[in-house]
């Protein structure tokens, strides 16, 4: 990834960050680090890193967590404690929705994908991290990264209930999200 960013810099293109450091607080406490795949999903990575750099992800909850599947977060509009948590997962950011950037990368454990509505071109700020393989998502959701450390923290995130995995009570949250090299 660093080589790719270096080449872009030489070509006068904007340099992309290569990862995110997510400090998780709640039942799970610790750090999850993600290698962002800017060569696979440049538009999505640019949007995520912009939101992170602006502090928009700080304090945002993991609102949908399904055992054996994934943990979803990133609703910067409704996913902040103090608001109506029943709305968490219904919002995005003030930035425009993104055109899908599908790839042949499989949704394995630790893969990070962008959440969206029925419209493939509706991803905005929300993303999910896979607890286990979910190959049925392959080619239908944009892959943006892979966890490089902190799978133990991911595994400790408070699980939701029911088919949709809504977290009841106090959800875990991304206390601080930092763009890293």
């Amino acid at each position: 990834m660093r080589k790719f960013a270096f080449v872009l810099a030489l070509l006068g293109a904007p340099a992309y960050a290569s990862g995110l450091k997510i400090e998780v607080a709640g039942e799970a406490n610790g750090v999850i680090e993600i290698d962002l795949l800017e060569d696979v999903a440049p538009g999505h990575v640019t949007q995520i890193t912009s939101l992170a750099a602006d502090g928009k992800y700080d304090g945002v909850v993991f609102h949908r967590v399904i055992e054996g599947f994934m943990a979803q977060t990133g609703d910067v509009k409704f996913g902040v404690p103090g608001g109506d948590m029943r709305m968490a997962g219904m919002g995005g950011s003030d930035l425009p929705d993104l055109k899908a950037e599908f790839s042949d990368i499989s949704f394995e454990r630790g893969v990070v994908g962008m959440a969206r509505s029925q419209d493939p071109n509706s991803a905005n700020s929300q993303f999910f991290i896979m607890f286990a393989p979910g190959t049925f998502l392959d080619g239908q959701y944009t892959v943006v990264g892979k966890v490089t450390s902190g799978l133990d923290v991911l595994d400790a995130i408070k699980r939701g209930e029911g088919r949709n995995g809504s977290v009841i009570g106090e959800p875990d949250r991304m206390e601080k999200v930092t763009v890293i090299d």
Side-chain angles (χ1 to χ4, degrees):
M1 294 301 143
R2 293 175 199 272
K3 187 181 286 182
F4 179 74
F6 178 73
V7 170
L8 285 176
L10 286 176
L11 295 174
Y16 291 101
S18 38
L20 293 178
K21 175 182 174 185
I22 302 173
E23 297 172 38
V24 179
E27 285 188 17
N29 286 290
V31 174
I32 298 172
E33 289 191 0
I34 296 169
D35 179 25
L36 294 172
L37 306 174
E38 52 270 338
D39 52 335
V40 173
H44 288 73
V45 169
T46 298
Q47 187 134 317
I48 289 171
T49 56
S50 174
L51 291 166
D54 289 345
K56 301 291 187 184
Y57 285 130
D58 296 351
V60 174
V61 301
F62 287 90
H63 64 274
R64 183 173 181 235
V65 184
I66 302 174
E67 178 67 43
F69 182 32
M70 59 86 210
Q72 186 171 327
T73 186
D75 183 347
V76 301
K77 183 173 183 179
F78 297 121
V80 180
D84 184 352
M85 284 291 108
R86 295 174 298 183
M87 295 294 294
M90 304 295 282
S93 73
D94 292 334
L95 300 174
D97 287 347
L98 298 161
K99 182 172 172 32
E101 295 176 296
F102 298 150
S103 68
D104 60 358
I105 297 173
S106 187
F107 278 89
E108 299 295 329
R109 175 170 165 74
V111 167
V112 181
M114 290 298 287
R116 62 170 178 80
S117 68
Q118 293 290 91
D119 179 356
N121 301 314
S122 63
N124 186 287
S125 64
Q126 294 186 47
F127 60 91
F128 56 91
I129 308 171
M130 302 299 292
F131 288 126
T135 56
F136 58 92
L137 300 175
D138 292 358
Q140 298 181 58
Y141 289 81
T142 298
V143 171
V144 294
K146 295 180 181 180
V147 173
T148 56
S149 69
L151 284 174
D152 58 327
V153 178
L154 174 68
D155 291 340
I157 291 174
K158 181 179 180 179
R159 301 307 198 262
E161 299 177 10
R163 283 191 62 212
N164 72 352
S166 293
V167 179
I168 308 300
E170 184 80 20
D172 287 358
R173 66 192 174 283
M174 298 187 294
E175 189 70 22
K176 177 87 176 143
V177 180
T178 309
V179 179
I180 57 175
D181 291 330

